[in-house]
Amino acid sequence: MVERLLNSAEEELEEVGPHALSIRSVAQRAGMSAATAYSYLASKDHLFATLFWRRLAADPGPELPEGPAAERLACTVDYLMHVIWEAPQMAAAATISLLGRDPDVAQLRERIGAIFVGHLRRALGEHTDPRVLDGVSLAFFGALLQVGMGLGTPEEYANRLRGTVAVLLKEPS
């Protein structure tokens, strides 16, 4: 039932966008009552965060090349930006939802953050200085936010992150 609800929500989101979507319309598409849908989802923000988390959790991540950490990290950032922004309606909805204070979203925000940091850690290597991982994470999350605010494209910010990573890893850019 939850899978049917979430699949219907993805379809609805791509068709009408985050502002026009309602839990009621998603429930109708899924062939269930709004009350049933609300027993699984507390709000639209909870729905959007769940969809985003589900997308990230189902993705195995990039195949990393051999070579320096900066190269592996660039591959990871490019890959994650692609996974996120290949579904622009979902990315836009998640950006708004994850910045809110909904307690049901807070747990998902932590899980989503852990997925991202896990990919970044894997790219950098398990023995990387935690301060470097922290700096890369902050830069990555800042880039996501700025793309979500429409200040540039995912490609532009992926390129900018390469320079930041080179500085943090003390490698030539």
Side-chain angles (χ1 to χ4, degrees):
M1 181 125 30
V2 172
E3 196 66 25
R4 189 173 69 200
L5 183 64
L6 294 176
N7 289 338
S8 295
E10 271 191 54
E11 293 169 8
E12 185 87 3
L13 180 59
E14 288 305 312
E15 282 182 26
V16 304
H19 300 294
L21 180 143
S22 70
I23 299 288
R24 191 173 299 284
S25 66
V26 169
Q28 184 177 17
R29 181 183 286 253
M32 63 182 69
S33 71
T36 300
Y38 276 112
S39 70
Y40 297 106
L41 301 164
S43 64
K44 271 178 47 168
D45 285 338
H46 186 214
L47 168 64
F48 295 151
T50 300
L51 290 175
F52 192 64
W53 171 79
R54 183 175 90 150
R55 178 180 194 79
L56 294 174
D59 191 280
E63 233 179 86
L64 295 178
E66 296 294 325
E71 191 177 314
R72 293 190 311 270
L73 196 57
C75 174
T76 298
V77 167
D78 289 346
Y79 182 87
L80 291 173
M81 288 292 209
H82 174 75
V83 167
I84 295 164
W85 294 102
E86 73 181 353
Q89 296 282 25
M90 186 183 301
T95 298
I96 295 163
S97 296
L98 292 170
L99 292 174
R101 296 186 184 265
D102 184 328
D104 294 305
V105 174
Q107 292 178 343
L108 290 164
R109 184 174 35 246
E110 288 179 24
R111 289 181 188 172
I112 289 165
I115 289 170
F116 286 137
V117 170
H119 286 303
L120 298 173
R121 179 182 291 115
R122 183 172 156 248
L124 287 168
E126 292 300 320
H127 301 293
T128 298
D129 182 332
R131 296 172 301 175
V132 171
L133 177 60
D134 191 44
V136 169
S137 298
L138 288 169
F140 178 75
F141 290 123
L144 285 181
L145 180 60
Q146 290 185 23
V147 171
M149 292 170 35
L151 299 176
T153 67
E155 295 80 17
E156 290 169 339
Y157 276 89
N159 287 333
R160 290 178 69 184
L161 278 170
R162 283 189 192 94
T164 301
V165 165
V167 169
L168 290 169
L169 296 178
K170 298 178 179 146
E171 295 180 1
S173 52

